[in-house]
Amino acid sequence: MKVTESGNLKHRQLHIEDYLQRVPAEREEYAEVCAPPKMTETDNINKSQQKKGLLEEILTPDNLNRAYKQVKRNKGAGGIDGMQVDELLPHLKENRYEIIQSLKDGTYRPKPVRRVEIPKENGKTRKLGIPTVMDRLIQQAICQVLTPIFEEQFSDNSFGFRPKRGAHGALRKCQTNITDGYIYVVDMDLEKYFDTVNQSKLIQILSETIEDGRVISLIHKFLKAGIMVNGMFEKSQKGVPQGGLCKALHKAPHVLQF
């Protein structure tokens, strides 16, 4: 952690365009996967509004169609089964009833993610986990329903990995803080955070808001699906894959607010 005194910055103008950098390629593909209306910050969640039939809401034709269109827009590489995004629609037309029924009766089994390593600026690599396009569709459908629910719990000062939020908004907030007279900047980073998320704790926290146990079980299956590395299967006992939409689930509020 670094604490930097900004000096006499109260009257110094911050030019946002001077500080913006291009979002890394692996983030761009998933940066706007869910974009519900912006919600105001609140500390309370009205659980009476939660539906125990949340899975049925996820599996509505409208939600699944929106999920398909988003996966189609995002493009991206295929997973371990080799299916590409352009092949998804014919697969759905032929198998949609069986897929939906397997999700309803709990027999759907996500496939392991495909491990890809991309170089970082410091010479190290970032490990990505690429789901199959079918799993990506289901994750997208889950994300579209859960995002508005959890958005209500996030701080208005949070800008990372949230719909319609990002570096531009964070810098505008910094500009406001400087104008208000704040003179310290605290720089913190959690090393390998996504690789080390405690899955059991994450599921516990999600369960405090999500009442439909079938949805919790499905999310758990995605977390436990495993990883294929050079043709070898590895268990995924901790962490969330960077590259799949389940990465967004790490933002359950009690996980982030240490």
Side-chain angles (χ1 to χ4, degrees), residues 46-97:
N46 185 357
K47 295 197 70 175
S48 66
Q49 296 178 355
Q50 282 286 318
K51 299 178 181 178
K52 292 185 178 180
L54 201 62
L55 181 62
E56 282 71 24
E57 185 176 348
I58 291 170
L59 298 179
T60 60
D62 177 67
N63 190 55
L64 291 174
N65 285 335
R66 289 195 298 119
Y68 167 76
K69 291 177 181 178
Q70 188 62 60
V71 171
K72 180 76 172 176
R73 282 192 294 268
N74 287 342
K75 299 181 181 180
I80 64 168
D81 60 358
M83 183 187 296
Q84 303 302 312
V85 173
D86 290 340
E87 301 174 90
L88 179 57
L89 184 58
H91 177 74
L92 292 173
K93 288 181 176 179
E94 183 177 351
N95 301 283
R96 61 183 182 276
Y97 296 114

Side-chain angles (χ1 to χ4, degrees), residues 102-139:
S102 68
L103 288 164
K104 288 182 176 179
D105 61 27
T107 59
Y108 184 86
R109 291 292 181 269
K111 290 181 172 60
V113 299
R114 180 168 63 89
R115 170 59 51 78
V116 175
E117 295 189 10
I118 61 173
K120 298 170 65 175
E121 294 180 355
N122 60 6
K124 298 181 180 179
T125 60
R126 184 187 306 279
K127 296 179 179 180
L128 301 184
I130 309 300
T132 65
V133 291
M134 185 66 242
D135 286 343
R136 205 178 305 164
L137 169 69
I138 297 171
Q139 290 185 24

Side-chain angles (χ1 to χ4, degrees), residues 67-203:
Y68 167 76
K69 291 177 181 178
Q70 188 62 60
V71 171
K72 180 76 172 176
R73 282 192 294 268
N74 287 342
K75 299 181 181 180
I80 64 168
D81 60 358
M83 183 187 296
Q84 303 302 312
V85 173
D86 290 340
E87 301 174 90
L88 179 57
L89 184 58
H91 177 74
L92 292 173
K93 288 181 176 179
E94 183 177 351
N95 301 283
R96 61 183 182 276
Y97 296 114
E98 292 82 358
I99 293 170
I100 290 176
Q101 187 57 45
S102 68
L103 288 164
K104 288 182 176 179
D105 61 27
T107 59
Y108 184 86
R109 291 292 181 269
K111 290 181 172 60
V113 299
R114 180 168 63 89
R115 170 59 51 78
V116 175
E117 295 189 10
I118 61 173
K120 298 170 65 175
E121 294 180 355
N122 60 6
K124 298 181 180 179
T125 60
R126 184 187 306 279
K127 296 179 179 180
L128 301 184
I130 309 300
T132 65
V133 291
M134 185 66 242
D135 286 343
R136 205 178 305 164
L137 169 69
I138 297 171
Q139 290 185 24
Q140 176 66 37
I142 296 172
C143 184
Q144 289 170 174
V145 172
L146 297 192
T147 294
I149 295 172
F150 283 102
E151 272 291 303
E152 293 185 345
Q153 303 183 32
F154 296 145
S155 168
D156 193 49
N157 292 312
S158 172
F159 293 91
F161 300 100
R162 293 180 63 187
K164 297 184 179 180
R165 286 173 172 253
H168 291 76
L171 286 169
R172 283 192 289 268
K173 183 66 174 179
C174 290
Q175 186 176 33
T176 299
N177 290 339
I178 291 172
T179 302
D180 290 343
Y182 291 94
I183 62 173
Y184 289 97
V185 175
V186 180
D187 182 11
M188 300 176 63
D189 184 30
L190 299 176
E191 185 178 4
K192 298 182 179 179
Y193 173 62
F194 294 111
D195 296 332
T196 58
V197 169
N198 186 311
Q199 294 180 356
S200 297
K201 182 65 174 177
L202 175 58
I203 290 296

